[in-house]
């Protein structure tokens, strides 16, 4: 864990400003890379995280880009978003994104999220503090948080998302571990901080694709819980 985490910045928006990039380039725990450095495994770099900036209106090409990055088996993908409508969350799940973070988070918060994602599976969940706007959730956690913050029961969430109740209960426990709370008002506050789109009644249950999704994707907490 003493090696620098490699950071590949993807689709950085022009209006983002130099502050975040400067922070990432000068943070001792990080080492910025270019796509020419792929495939991974360069000297002095332990893990690599692609920080992908998702436009407010994401196109199919953006999700295809994430899926292409996930073809590198050791690469983790952190998606920085402005807002997360339901369809965007589902597309991120299908593309294989490992975690999401709000673009409004501070450079320090985004940096810390990158490090946590890179070291997931090594870090101890007991050491995690309360989630703030900059902390990363997996796309599935964010999707379920939308429903829980709207007051849906585990059974209702399972029906809406075509999951088992046990799976929803597991994700709810993961959220409780990350946020250190299960209170509705705290979940509502967190959902607003993260810019998660509110649930609307027209959202219907999805069929088919099981919890595993594509690319054998597993959540951060699931990886960490095995250690």
């Amino acid at each position: 864990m003493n090696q620098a985490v490699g950071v590949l910045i993807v689709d950085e928006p022009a209006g983002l400003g130099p502050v975040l990039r400067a922070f990432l380039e000068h943070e001792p725990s990080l080492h910025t890379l270019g796509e020419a450095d792929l495939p991974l495994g360069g000297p002095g770099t332990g893990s690599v995280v692609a920080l992908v900036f998702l436009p407010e209106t994401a196109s199919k090409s953006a999700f295809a880009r994430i899926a292409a990055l996930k073809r590198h088996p050791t690469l983790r993908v952190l998606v920085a978003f402005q807002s997360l409508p339901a369809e965007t969350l589902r597309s991120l799940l299908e593309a294989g994104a490992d975690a999401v973070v709000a673009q409004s988070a501070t450079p320090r918060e985004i940096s810390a999220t990158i490090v946590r994602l890179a070291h997931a599976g090594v870090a101890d969940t007991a050491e995690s503090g309360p989630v703030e706007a900059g902390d990363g959730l997996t796309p599935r956690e964010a999707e379920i948080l939308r429903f829980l913050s709207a007051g849906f029961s585990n059974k209702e969430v399972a029906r809406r998302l075509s999951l088992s109740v046990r799976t929803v209960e597991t994700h709810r426990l993961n959220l409780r571990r990350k946020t250190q709370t299960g209170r509705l008002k705290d979940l509502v506050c967190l959902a607003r901080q993260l810019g998660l789109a509110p649930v609307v009644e027209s959202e219907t249950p999805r069929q088919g694709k099981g919890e595993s999704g594509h690319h054998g994707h597993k959540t951060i907490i699931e990886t960490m819980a095995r250690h």
Side-chain angles (χ1 to χ4, degrees):
M1 299 212 8
N2 58 351
Q3 289 183 308
V5 174
V7 182
L8 175 65
I9 303 175
V10 180
D11 297 334
E12 180 180 354
L16 189 65
V19 177
L20 176 59
R21 177 173 282 277
F23 190 95
L24 296 177
E25 290 177 347
H26 292 90
E27 169 59 39
S29 62
L30 303 177
H31 171 63
T32 54
L33 304 170
E35 291 195 55
D37 296 308
L38 299 178
L40 310 176
T45 298
S47 305
V48 177
V49 173
L51 176 60
V52 180
F53 287 89
L54 197 69
E56 189 167 7
T57 304
S59 64
K60 290 183 179 180
S61 62
F63 302 120
R65 183 106 159 97
I66 293 170
L69 287 167
K70 289 299 294 181
R71 294 194 185 102
H72 297 279
T74 60
L75 179 71
R76 291 182 177 271
V77 174
L78 174 63
V79 176
F81 66 89
Q82 297 181 51
S83 63
L84 282 178
E87 288 304 318
T88 299
L89 274 170
R90 293 165 190 167
S91 295
L92 288 175
L93 277 166
E94 293 172 359
D98 294 290
V100 295
V101 66
Q103 289 187 24
S104 59
T106 67
R108 187 173 300 278
E109 288 170 335
I110 292 176
S111 172
T113 301
I114 291 170
V115 172
R116 279 194 295 272
L117 178 57
H119 294 154
V122 178
D124 183 357
T125 56
E127 298 176 357
S128 300
V131 172
E132 298 180 357
D135 285 333
L137 298 177
T138 67
R140 179 68 82 195
E141 289 168 348
E143 184 178 41
I144 289 177
L145 175 59
R146 292 179 61 244
F147 284 89
L148 296 179
S149 65
F152 284 82
S153 68
N154 292 349
K155 186 175 181 180
E156 289 170 327
V157 175
R159 181 181 64 83
R160 290 284 186 123
L161 299 181
S162 299
L163 301 173
S164 70
V165 174
R166 184 174 181 180
T167 294
V168 174
E169 290 172 346
T170 298
H171 284 298
R172 188 165 193 161
L173 178 60
N174 293 342
L175 283 167
R176 184 185 291 271
R177 288 171 177 168
K178 281 191 172 184
T179 64
Q180 301 296 301
T181 183
R183 296 188 305 176
L184 178 59
K185 68 176 185 178
D186 294 333
L187 295 177
V188 170
C189 181
L190 177 60
R192 288 174 177 171
Q193 280 184 297
L194 293 173
L196 297 177
V199 175
V200 295
E201 283 302 317
S202 60
E203 291 185 37
T204 55
R206 291 179 294 122
Q207 304 296 325
K209 301 183 178 91
E211 175 61 14
S212 60
H214 295 281
H215 310 289
H217 177 62
K218 290 182 172 55
T219 67
I220 302 171
I221 291 292
E222 286 168 345
T223 302
M224 294 166 69
R226 291 196 297 271
H227 292 75

